[in-house]
Amino acid sequence: MGASAMLGTVVRKLDSADVNLCALFNGYSRLLPVRQTFRAISRLGDGIIWYCMMAMMPLIGGHNGLVIALQMAGTALVGLLIYKVTKTLSERERPYINHADQVACEMPPLDRYSFPSGHTLHAVSFTVVLYGYFPAMLWILLPFTLLIALSRMVLGLHYPSDVLAGAAIGALLAVGSFELLATLGITLH
């Protein structure tokens, strides 16, 4: 078997595992309490929680809070640009479209394509930024971020690989934002 054929086999196996895991998570949405809970979590992940946190930062933290809010907002804007361009270029249809026999759509998506998960990208990005300043908040932020990521698969909106890619991009953006602030000599007092 040549390298190209082997690569094709590996890709097919990974794709199959992606679909099977998505279908497994999505299967739990048949239970009404699960479906309702993850819909609520997903709606919170639309941004309302993060926008409220950004708005509160300058009020409770003064200048330092403003810097943190601006870092979150800048990271969000770059993340939005990256995920919009990536979704447009990848044109990866959502699992409930390509695998309607295995995956049900349990909540209308905000946009057409699935790769990467923007909800996960932003949740991870904001969690890493906030953790950098408020490590004690991790016990609240991490479970919430994990629930947002899980909601994307439970609701049939994303494959696990979409969620992992969103998480990786979000983490890189957050770390990069700290590097940028350090390079610019911006520090909190």
Side-chain angles (χ1 to χ4, degrees), residues 108-160:
L110 297 178
D111 52 30
R112 178 168 177 185
Y113 298 117
S114 75
F115 183 86
S117 167
H119 278 73
T120 306
L121 183 156
H122 287 101
V124 169
S125 174
F126 294 142
T127 294
V128 172
V129 168
L130 289 169
Y131 173 73
Y133 298 107
F134 309 105
M137 287 183 65
L138 190 62
W139 72 272
I140 296 170
L141 294 169
L142 186 60
F144 181 62
T145 296
L146 292 172
L147 286 170
I148 289 173
L150 187 58
S151 78
R152 312 314 291 158
M153 296 174 289
V154 169
L155 298 172
L157 300 173
H158 288 284
Y159 298 96

Short mmCIF file of all heavy atoms in Angstrom, two decimals, residues 108-160:
data_model
loop_
_atom_site.label_atom_id
_atom_site.label_comp_id
_atom_site.label_asym_id
_atom_site.label_seq_id
_atom_site.Cartn_x
_atom_site.Cartn_y
_atom_site.Cartn_z
N PRO A 108 -31.07 25.32 16.36
CA PRO A 108 -30.63 25.95 15.10
C PRO A 108 -29.22 26.53 15.25
O PRO A 108 -28.91 27.18 16.25
CB PRO A 108 -31.65 27.06 14.87
CG PRO A 108 -32.79 26.76 15.75
CD PRO A 108 -32.27 25.95 16.89
N PRO A 109 -28.36 26.30 14.26
CA PRO A 109 -27.01 26.85 14.33
C PRO A 109 -27.01 28.35 14.03
O PRO A 109 -27.96 28.87 13.42
CB PRO A 109 -26.26 26.08 13.23
CG PRO A 109 -27.33 25.72 12.25
CD PRO A 109 -28.57 25.50 13.06
N LEU A 110 -25.95 29.04 14.45
CA LEU A 110 -25.83 30.47 14.18
C LEU A 110 -25.32 30.74 12.77
O LEU A 110 -25.51 31.83 12.25
CB LEU A 110 -24.88 31.12 15.20
CG LEU A 110 -25.35 31.07 16.66
CD1 LEU A 110 -24.31 31.71 17.57
CD2 LEU A 110 -26.69 31.76 16.82
N ASP A 111 -24.65 29.75 12.17
CA ASP A 111 -24.17 29.91 10.80
C ASP A 111 -24.17 28.54 10.13
O ASP A 111 -24.55 27.55 10.73
CB ASP A 111 -22.79 30.58 10.76
CG ASP A 111 -21.76 29.92 11.66
OD1 ASP A 111 -21.84 28.69 11.88
OD2 ASP A 111 -20.85 30.61 12.14
N ARG A 112 -23.73 28.49 8.88
CA ARG A 112 -23.91 27.27 8.10
C ARG A 112 -22.91 26.16 8.42
O ARG A 112 -23.29 25.01 8.59
CB ARG A 112 -23.83 27.61 6.62
CG ARG A 112 -23.95 26.37 5.77
CD ARG A 112 -24.17 26.62 4.34
NE ARG A 112 -24.20 25.36 3.62
CZ ARG A 112 -24.28 25.27 2.33
NH1 ARG A 112 -24.34 26.36 1.61
NH2 ARG A 112 -24.31 24.10 1.76
N TYR A 113 -21.63 26.47 8.43
CA TYR A 113 -20.62 25.43 8.47
C TYR A 113 -20.15 25.11 9.89
O TYR A 113 -20.35 25.88 10.82
CB TYR A 113 -19.43 25.81 7.59
CG TYR A 113 -19.82 25.96 6.14
CD1 TYR A 113 -19.71 27.18 5.49
CD2 TYR A 113 -20.32 24.88 5.43
CE1 TYR A 113 -20.08 27.31 4.15
CE2 TYR A 113 -20.69 25.01 4.10
CZ TYR A 113 -20.57 26.23 3.46
OH TYR A 113 -20.94 26.36 2.15
N SER A 114 -19.50 23.95 10.02
CA SER A 114 -19.19 23.46 11.37
C SER A 114 -17.74 23.62 11.81
O SER A 114 -17.47 23.62 13.00
CB SER A 114 -19.59 21.99 11.49
OG SER A 114 -18.70 21.15 10.83
N PHE A 115 -16.79 23.73 10.89
CA PHE A 115 -15.38 23.71 11.29
C PHE A 115 -14.76 25.09 11.23
O PHE A 115 -14.78 25.72 10.18
CB PHE A 115 -14.57 22.77 10.37
CG PHE A 115 -13.14 22.64 10.77
CD1 PHE A 115 -12.76 21.71 11.72
CD2 PHE A 115 -12.17 23.44 10.22
CE1 PHE A 115 -11.43 21.58 12.09
CE2 PHE A 115 -10.83 23.33 10.59
CZ PHE A 115 -10.47 22.40 11.52
N PRO A 116 -14.22 25.55 12.36
CA PRO A 116 -14.16 25.02 13.73
C PRO A 116 -15.36 25.50 14.56
O PRO A 116 -16.15 26.31 14.09
CB PRO A 116 -12.87 25.63 14.27
CG PRO A 116 -12.82 26.99 13.63
CD PRO A 116 -13.41 26.78 12.24
N SER A 117 -15.44 25.05 15.78
CA SER A 117 -16.51 25.49 16.69
C SER A 117 -16.15 26.87 17.25
O SER A 117 -15.21 27.01 18.02
CB SER A 117 -16.68 24.50 17.84
OG SER A 117 -17.49 25.08 18.86
N GLY A 118 -16.92 27.87 16.85
CA GLY A 118 -16.71 29.23 17.36
C GLY A 118 -17.04 29.36 18.83
O GLY A 118 -16.37 30.09 19.56
N HIS A 119 -18.09 28.65 19.27
CA HIS A 119 -18.45 28.69 20.69
C HIS A 119 -17.27 28.20 21.55
O HIS A 119 -16.92 28.82 22.55
CB HIS A 119 -19.66 27.80 20.97
CG HIS A 119 -20.97 28.43 20.67
ND1 HIS A 119 -21.40 28.63 19.39
CD2 HIS A 119 -21.96 28.88 21.49
CE1 HIS A 119 -22.61 29.20 19.43
NE2 HIS A 119 -22.97 29.35 20.69
N THR A 120 -16.68 27.09 21.13
CA THR A 120 -15.57 26.51 21.88
C THR A 120 -14.34 27.41 21.79
O THR A 120 -13.66 27.64 22.80
CB THR A 120 -15.24 25.09 21.38
OG1 THR A 120 -16.43 24.31 21.42
CG2 THR A 120 -14.17 24.45 22.22
N LEU A 121 -14.07 27.92 20.61
CA LEU A 121 -12.93 28.82 20.41
C LEU A 121 -13.00 29.98 21.40
O LEU A 121 -12.04 30.26 22.12
CB LEU A 121 -12.94 29.34 18.97
CG LEU A 121 -11.80 30.24 18.51
CD1 LEU A 121 -11.67 30.17 16.99
CD2 LEU A 121 -11.98 31.69 18.92
N HIS A 122 -14.16 30.64 21.46
CA HIS A 122 -14.28 31.80 22.34
C HIS A 122 -14.30 31.42 23.81
O HIS A 122 -13.70 32.11 24.64
CB HIS A 122 -15.51 32.63 21.94
CG HIS A 122 -15.30 33.37 20.67
ND1 HIS A 122 -15.82 32.94 19.47
CD2 HIS A 122 -14.59 34.47 20.40
CE1 HIS A 122 -15.44 33.77 18.52
NE2 HIS A 122 -14.69 34.71 19.06
N ALA A 123 -14.97 30.33 24.15
CA ALA A 123 -15.00 29.91 25.56
C ALA A 123 -13.60 29.59 26.07
O ALA A 123 -13.22 30.02 27.17
CB ALA A 123 -15.92 28.69 25.72
N VAL A 124 -12.81 28.88 25.28
CA VAL A 124 -11.45 28.56 25.69
C VAL A 124 -10.59 29.82 25.74
O VAL A 124 -9.84 30.05 26.70
CB VAL A 124 -10.82 27.50 24.75
CG1 VAL A 124 -9.33 27.35 25.00
CG2 VAL A 124 -11.53 26.16 24.93
N SER A 125 -10.72 30.67 24.74
CA SER A 125 -9.96 31.90 24.71
C SER A 125 -10.22 32.76 25.94
O SER A 125 -9.29 33.22 26.62
CB SER A 125 -10.32 32.68 23.43
OG SER A 125 -9.70 33.94 23.41
N PHE A 126 -11.50 32.99 26.25
CA PHE A 126 -11.84 33.82 27.40
C PHE A 126 -11.42 33.16 28.71
O PHE A 126 -10.97 33.83 29.64
CB PHE A 126 -13.34 34.11 27.43
CG PHE A 126 -13.81 34.97 26.29
CD1 PHE A 126 -15.03 34.72 25.69
CD2 PHE A 126 -13.05 36.01 25.80
CE1 PHE A 126 -15.48 35.51 24.64
CE2 PHE A 126 -13.47 36.80 24.74
CZ PHE A 126 -14.70 36.56 24.16
N THR A 127 -11.55 31.85 28.79
CA THR A 127 -11.15 31.13 30.00
C THR A 127 -9.66 31.27 30.24
O THR A 127 -9.22 31.53 31.37
CB THR A 127 -11.56 29.65 29.90
OG1 THR A 127 -13.00 29.59 29.89
CG2 THR A 127 -11.04 28.84 31.08
N VAL A 128 -8.85 31.12 29.20
CA VAL A 128 -7.40 31.24 29.36
C VAL A 128 -7.01 32.67 29.75
O VAL A 128 -6.18 32.88 30.63
CB VAL A 128 -6.65 30.78 28.08
CG1 VAL A 128 -5.17 31.09 28.16
CG2 VAL A 128 -6.88 29.29 27.85
N VAL A 129 -7.63 33.66 29.10
CA VAL A 129 -7.33 35.06 29.45
C VAL A 129 -7.71 35.33 30.91
O VAL A 129 -6.91 35.86 31.68
CB VAL A 129 -8.05 36.05 28.50
CG1 VAL A 129 -7.97 37.48 29.05
CG2 VAL A 129 -7.45 35.99 27.10
N LEU A 130 -8.92 34.96 31.30
CA LEU A 130 -9.35 35.22 32.67
C LEU A 130 -8.53 34.44 33.69
O LEU A 130 -8.20 34.96 34.76
CB LEU A 130 -10.84 34.91 32.82
CG LEU A 130 -11.77 35.90 32.11
CD1 LEU A 130 -13.19 35.38 32.08
CD2 LEU A 130 -11.70 37.28 32.76
N TYR A 131 -8.16 33.21 33.34
CA TYR A 131 -7.30 32.42 34.23
C TYR A 131 -5.96 33.11 34.45
O TYR A 131 -5.39 33.06 35.56
CB TYR A 131 -7.09 31.01 33.66
CG TYR A 131 -6.08 30.20 34.44
CD1 TYR A 131 -6.39 29.70 35.69
CD2 TYR A 131 -4.81 29.97 33.93
CE1 TYR A 131 -5.47 28.97 36.42
CE2 TYR A 131 -3.88 29.25 34.65
CZ TYR A 131 -4.20 28.76 35.90
OH TYR A 131 -3.28 28.05 36.62
N GLY A 132 -5.45 33.76 33.41
CA GLY A 132 -4.18 34.47 33.54
C GLY A 132 -4.19 35.56 34.60
O GLY A 132 -3.16 35.87 35.19
N TYR A 133 -5.34 36.12 34.85
CA TYR A 133 -5.47 37.18 35.85
C TYR A 133 -6.13 36.72 37.15
O TYR A 133 -5.86 37.27 38.21
CB TYR A 133 -6.28 38.35 35.28
CG TYR A 133 -5.61 38.98 34.08
CD1 TYR A 133 -6.12 38.79 32.81
CD2 TYR A 133 -4.47 39.76 34.22
CE1 TYR A 133 -5.52 39.36 31.70
CE2 TYR A 133 -3.85 40.33 33.12
CZ TYR A 133 -4.38 40.13 31.86
OH TYR A 133 -3.77 40.69 30.77
N PHE A 134 -7.02 35.75 37.02
CA PHE A 134 -7.80 35.29 38.17
C PHE A 134 -7.75 33.76 38.26
O PHE A 134 -8.75 33.09 37.97
CB PHE A 134 -9.26 35.74 38.03
CG PHE A 134 -9.44 37.21 37.74
CD1 PHE A 134 -9.79 37.63 36.47
CD2 PHE A 134 -9.24 38.15 38.73
CE1 PHE A 134 -9.95 38.98 36.20
CE2 PHE A 134 -9.40 39.50 38.47
CZ PHE A 134 -9.76 39.92 37.20
N PRO A 135 -6.62 33.18 38.63
CA PRO A 135 -6.50 31.72 38.65
C PRO A 135 -7.54 31.04 39.53
O PRO A 135 -7.96 29.91 39.24
CB PRO A 135 -5.09 31.46 39.17
CG PRO A 135 -4.41 32.76 39.27
CD PRO A 135 -5.39 33.86 39.03
N ALA A 136 -8.00 31.72 40.57
CA ALA A 136 -9.00 31.11 41.46
C ALA A 136 -10.35 30.91 40.76
O ALA A 136 -11.17 30.12 41.24
CB ALA A 136 -9.19 31.98 42.71
N MET A 137 -10.58 31.58 39.64
CA MET A 137 -11.85 31.43 38.90
C MET A 137 -11.89 30.16 38.05
O MET A 137 -12.93 29.83 37.49
CB MET A 137 -12.09 32.63 37.99
CG MET A 137 -12.49 33.89 38.73
SD MET A 137 -12.84 35.25 37.59
CE MET A 137 -14.27 34.64 36.73
N LEU A 138 -10.77 29.45 37.96
CA LEU A 138 -10.71 28.29 37.08
C LEU A 138 -11.76 27.24 37.45
O LEU A 138 -12.33 26.60 36.57
CB LEU A 138 -9.31 27.66 37.08
CG LEU A 138 -9.09 26.59 36.02
CD1 LEU A 138 -9.24 27.17 34.62
CD2 LEU A 138 -7.73 25.95 36.18
N TRP A 139 -12.07 27.09 38.72
CA TRP A 139 -13.04 26.07 39.14
C TRP A 139 -14.44 26.39 38.61
O TRP A 139 -15.29 25.50 38.52
CB TRP A 139 -13.02 25.89 40.65
CG TRP A 139 -13.61 27.04 41.43
CD1 TRP A 139 -12.96 28.16 41.86
CD2 TRP A 139 -14.96 27.16 41.86
NE1 TRP A 139 -13.83 28.98 42.52
CE2 TRP A 139 -15.08 28.38 42.54
CE3 TRP A 139 -16.09 26.36 41.74
CZ2 TRP A 139 -16.26 28.84 43.09
CZ3 TRP A 139 -17.28 26.80 42.29
CH2 TRP A 139 -17.36 28.03 42.96
N ILE A 140 -14.71 27.64 38.25
CA ILE A 140 -15.99 28.00 37.62
C ILE A 140 -15.85 27.99 36.10
O ILE A 140 -16.71 27.46 35.39
CB ILE A 140 -16.44 29.41 38.08
CG1 ILE A 140 -16.73 29.41 39.58
CG2 ILE A 140 -17.66 29.87 37.29
CD1 ILE A 140 -16.94 30.80 40.15
N LEU A 141 -14.78 28.60 35.61
CA LEU A 141 -14.60 28.77 34.16
C LEU A 141 -14.39 27.46 33.42
O LEU A 141 -14.97 27.26 32.34
CB LEU A 141 -13.41 29.70 33.89
CG LEU A 141 -13.57 31.15 34.33
CD1 LEU A 141 -12.24 31.89 34.24
CD2 LEU A 141 -14.64 31.84 33.50
N LEU A 142 -13.57 26.58 33.96
CA LEU A 142 -13.25 25.34 33.25
C LEU A 142 -14.48 24.45 33.06
O LEU A 142 -14.75 24.01 31.93
CB LEU A 142 -12.11 24.59 33.94
CG LEU A 142 -11.61 23.35 33.21
CD1 LEU A 142 -11.09 23.70 31.82
CD2 LEU A 142 -10.52 22.67 34.02
N PRO A 143 -15.27 24.17 34.10
CA PRO A 143 -16.47 23.35 33.87
C PRO A 143 -17.44 24.00 32.88
O PRO A 143 -18.03 23.32 32.03
CB PRO A 143 -17.12 23.22 35.25
CG PRO A 143 -16.02 23.48 36.21
CD PRO A 143 -15.08 24.44 35.53
N PHE A 144 -17.60 25.32 32.97
CA PHE A 144 -18.49 26.02 32.04
C PHE A 144 -18.00 25.88 30.61
O PHE A 144 -18.77 25.58 29.69
CB PHE A 144 -18.62 27.49 32.45
CG PHE A 144 -19.56 28.27 31.57
CD1 PHE A 144 -20.90 27.93 31.48
CD2 PHE A 144 -19.10 29.35 30.83
CE1 PHE A 144 -21.77 28.66 30.66
CE2 PHE A 144 -19.96 30.08 30.02
CZ PHE A 144 -21.29 29.72 29.93
N THR A 145 -16.71 26.05 30.41
CA THR A 145 -16.12 25.93 29.06
C THR A 145 -16.27 24.50 28.54
O THR A 145 -16.61 24.29 27.37
CB THR A 145 -14.64 26.36 29.09
OG1 THR A 145 -14.61 27.76 29.42
CG2 THR A 145 -13.95 26.13 27.78
N LEU A 146 -16.03 23.53 29.39
CA LEU A 146 -16.20 22.13 28.98
C LEU A 146 -17.65 21.82 28.62
O LEU A 146 -17.93 21.10 27.65
CB LEU A 146 -15.70 21.17 30.06
CG LEU A 146 -14.19 21.18 30.30
CD1 LEU A 146 -13.83 20.35 31.53
CD2 LEU A 146 -13.45 20.69 29.07
N LEU A 147 -18.58 22.39 29.36
CA LEU A 147 -20.01 22.19 29.05
C LEU A 147 -20.39 22.84 27.72
O LEU A 147 -21.17 22.29 26.95
CB LEU A 147 -20.88 22.71 30.18
CG LEU A 147 -20.90 21.86 31.44
CD1 LEU A 147 -21.61 22.60 32.58
CD2 LEU A 147 -21.55 20.50 31.18
N ILE A 148 -19.83 24.02 27.45
CA ILE A 148 -20.08 24.66 26.15
C ILE A 148 -19.56 23.77 25.04
O ILE A 148 -20.26 23.52 24.05
CB ILE A 148 -19.44 26.06 26.08
CG1 ILE A 148 -20.21 27.03 26.98
CG2 ILE A 148 -19.42 26.58 24.64
CD1 ILE A 148 -19.57 28.40 27.11
N ALA A 149 -18.34 23.28 25.17
CA ALA A 149 -17.75 22.41 24.15
C ALA A 149 -18.60 21.15 23.97
O ALA A 149 -18.90 20.75 22.83
CB ALA A 149 -16.32 22.04 24.54
N LEU A 150 -19.01 20.56 25.05
CA LEU A 150 -19.83 19.35 24.98
C LEU A 150 -21.20 19.63 24.36
O LEU A 150 -21.71 18.83 23.58
CB LEU A 150 -20.00 18.76 26.39
CG LEU A 150 -20.68 17.42 26.51
CD1 LEU A 150 -19.94 16.35 25.70
CD2 LEU A 150 -20.75 17.00 27.98
N SER A 151 -21.75 20.80 24.65
CA SER A 151 -23.07 21.15 24.10
C SER A 151 -23.07 21.15 22.58
O SER A 151 -24.07 20.81 21.95
CB SER A 151 -23.51 22.53 24.61
OG SER A 151 -22.88 23.60 23.93
N ARG A 152 -21.97 21.51 21.99
CA ARG A 152 -21.90 21.59 20.53
C ARG A 152 -22.09 20.22 19.89
O ARG A 152 -22.68 20.09 18.82
CB ARG A 152 -20.57 22.22 20.08
CG ARG A 152 -20.20 23.50 20.79
CD ARG A 152 -21.35 24.49 20.92
NE ARG A 152 -21.70 25.04 19.62
CZ ARG A 152 -22.87 25.57 19.32
NH1 ARG A 152 -23.82 25.66 20.22
NH2 ARG A 152 -23.11 26.03 18.12
N MET A 153 -21.60 19.17 20.56
CA MET A 153 -21.75 17.80 20.04
C MET A 153 -23.08 17.21 20.45
O MET A 153 -23.74 16.55 19.66
CB MET A 153 -20.58 16.95 20.52
CG MET A 153 -19.23 17.42 19.98
SD MET A 153 -17.83 16.53 20.66
CE MET A 153 -17.77 17.13 22.34
N VAL A 154 -23.50 17.45 21.69
CA VAL A 154 -24.77 16.92 22.17
C VAL A 154 -25.91 17.43 21.30
O VAL A 154 -26.84 16.70 20.98
CB VAL A 154 -25.00 17.27 23.66
CG1 VAL A 154 -26.42 16.95 24.09
CG2 VAL A 154 -24.00 16.52 24.54
N LEU A 155 -25.83 18.69 20.89
CA LEU A 155 -26.88 19.30 20.09
C LEU A 155 -26.78 18.97 18.59
O LEU A 155 -27.60 19.40 17.80
CB LEU A 155 -26.92 20.81 20.31
CG LEU A 155 -27.23 21.23 21.74
CD1 LEU A 155 -27.05 22.73 21.92
CD2 LEU A 155 -28.64 20.80 22.15
N GLY A 156 -25.74 18.22 18.21
CA GLY A 156 -25.59 17.80 16.81
C GLY A 156 -25.04 18.87 15.90
O GLY A 156 -25.13 18.75 14.67
N LEU A 157 -24.44 19.91 16.47
CA LEU A 157 -23.98 21.04 15.68
C LEU A 157 -22.52 20.92 15.24
O LEU A 157 -22.12 21.58 14.27
CB LEU A 157 -24.18 22.34 16.46
CG LEU A 157 -25.62 22.64 16.85
CD1 LEU A 157 -25.70 23.84 17.77
CD2 LEU A 157 -26.48 22.83 15.61
N HIS A 158 -21.73 20.12 15.95
CA HIS A 158 -20.31 20.00 15.64
C HIS A 158 -19.81 18.58 15.85
O HIS A 158 -20.30 17.86 16.72
CB HIS A 158 -19.47 20.93 16.53
CG HIS A 158 -19.60 22.36 16.20
ND1 HIS A 158 -18.99 22.92 15.11
CD2 HIS A 158 -20.28 23.36 16.81
CE1 HIS A 158 -19.28 24.21 15.07
NE2 HIS A 158 -20.06 24.51 16.08
N TYR A 159 -18.81 18.23 15.06
CA TYR A 159 -18.05 17.00 15.26
C TYR A 159 -17.04 17.25 16.38
O TYR A 159 -16.65 18.40 16.63
CB TYR A 159 -17.26 16.65 13.99
CG TYR A 159 -18.10 16.38 12.78
CD1 TYR A 159 -18.33 17.39 11.85
CD2 TYR A 159 -18.63 15.11 12.54
CE1 TYR A 159 -19.09 17.14 10.71
CE2 TYR A 159 -19.38 14.86 11.39
CZ TYR A 159 -19.61 15.89 10.49
OH TYR A 159 -20.35 15.65 9.37
N PRO A 160 -16.55 16.20 17.04
CA PRO A 160 -15.50 16.39 18.05
C PRO A 160 -14.26 17.12 17.49
O PRO A 160 -13.67 17.94 18.19
CB PRO A 160 -15.16 14.96 18.49
CG PRO A 160 -16.44 14.21 18.28
CD PRO A 160 -17.04 14.81 17.03
#
